[in-house]
């Protein structure tokens, strides 16, 4: 496998700080951490962007991944992402945003390129800072809040004890989906993973 087109920027969206670590909104960070472990890389503070970054290759001689966790809060994620894309000379089509998604049922992972942000402040910030919506999104379904709970409160709450039983498996699956986008492309990944 060659890496002629350069690296991929994989951004886990979330909020920094221990108090947010288990939130539904921070599932992007969870997937980024798992991917860093898979490529044998450790996160460290980037010298130019307000983000923690880990770099590694998928397999021996495989595509290079620049994994990022912006250290701004969710609604300001775009600045660090655009800074890293510029620093590493990565086009938006090779940027993957890994994020929580209210409009996808819990336990499902969906991939799309471009489109709207669905009210997600992290995506909105990325689209504005990158100057385009044409980047890849790996959407980790968290479902809609129960009853009349405010979606803003729901995303900033931790996964339930029932959800946590499956969470490790689902984060692992989401990491597989990211790897598939990098190695196979968006459409083959949709065909492979959108069945369930």
């Amino acid at each position: 496998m060659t890496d002629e087109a350069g690296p991929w920027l994989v951004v886990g969206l979330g909020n920094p700080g221990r108090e947010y670590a288990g939130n539904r909104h921070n599932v992007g960070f969870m997937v980024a951490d798992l991917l860093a472990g898979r490529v044998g890389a450790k996160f460290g503070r980037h010298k130019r962007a307000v983000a923690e970054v880990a770099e590694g290759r998928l397999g021996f001689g495989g595509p290079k991944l620049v994994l990022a966790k912006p250290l701004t809060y969710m609604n300001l994620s775009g600045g660090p992402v655009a800074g890293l894309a510029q620093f590493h000379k990565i086009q938006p089509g090779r940027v993957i945003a890994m994020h929580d998604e209210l409009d996808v049922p819990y336990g499902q992972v969906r991939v799309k390129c471009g489109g709207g942000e669905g009210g997600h402040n992290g995506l909105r910030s990325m689209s504005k800072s990158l100057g385009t919506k044409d980047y890849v999104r790996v959407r980790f379904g968290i479902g809609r809040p129960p009853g009349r709970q405010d979606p803003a409160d729901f995303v900033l709450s931790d996964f339930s004890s029932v959800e946590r039983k499956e969470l490790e498996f689902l984060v692992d699956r989401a990491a597989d989906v990211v790897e598939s986008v990098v190695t196979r492309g968006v459409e083959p990944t949709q065909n492979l993973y959108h069945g369930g």
Side-chain angles (χ1 to χ4, degrees), residues 10-12 27-37 43 67-69 98:
V10 179
V11 182
V27 75
F29 277 18
M30 297 173 198
V31 177
D33 287 338
L34 181 62
L35 283 166
F43 277 99
L67 302 163
K69 297 189 292 186
M98 178 63 240

Side-chain angles (χ1 to χ4, degrees), residues 160-194:
S160 71
S161 56
V162 173
E163 289 170 335
R164 280 199 296 273
K165 288 177 183 165
E166 279 190 290
L167 186 59
E168 195 176 327
F169 165 77
L170 296 172
V171 167
D172 194 66
R173 182 180 170 91
D176 290 345
V177 170
V178 171
E179 289 189 10
S180 178
V181 169
V182 170
T183 57
R184 295 184 179 96
V186 170
E187 205 172 314
T189 300
Q190 290 171 331
N191 294 336
L192 195 59
Y193 286 97
H194 283 201

Side-chain angles (χ1 to χ4, degrees), residues 89-111:
K89 299 180 173 56
I90 299 172
Q91 294 300 312
R94 291 176 78 86
V95 174
I96 300 173
M98 178 63 240
H99 65 93
D100 60 304
E101 178 60 68
L102 287 161
D103 293 325
V104 172
Y106 181 73
Q108 295 185 11
V109 181
R110 295 286 177 260
V111 183

Side-chain angles (χ1 to χ4, degrees), residues 89-158:
K89 299 180 173 56
I90 299 172
Q91 294 300 312
R94 291 176 78 86
V95 174
I96 300 173
M98 178 63 240
H99 65 93
D100 60 304
E101 178 60 68
L102 287 161
D103 293 325
V104 172
Y106 181 73
Q108 295 185 11
V109 181
R110 295 286 177 260
V111 183
K112 72 173 189 172
C113 188
E117 292 96 2
H120 196 290
N121 290 333
L123 295 178
R124 192 176 291 145
S125 177
M126 278 184 61
S127 298
K128 186 176 176 188
S129 296
L130 289 169
T132 181
K133 295 181 180 185
D134 294 335
Y135 52 89
V136 180
R137 298 97 184 273
V138 173
R139 307 153 73 209
F140 188 105
I142 60 170
R144 302 300 301 183
R148 297 179 171 219
Q149 187 180 5
D150 182 355
D153 293 335
F154 180 67
V155 300
L156 291 175
S157 63
D158 287 359

Side-chain angles (χ1 to χ4, degrees), residues 13 32 56:
L13 291 177

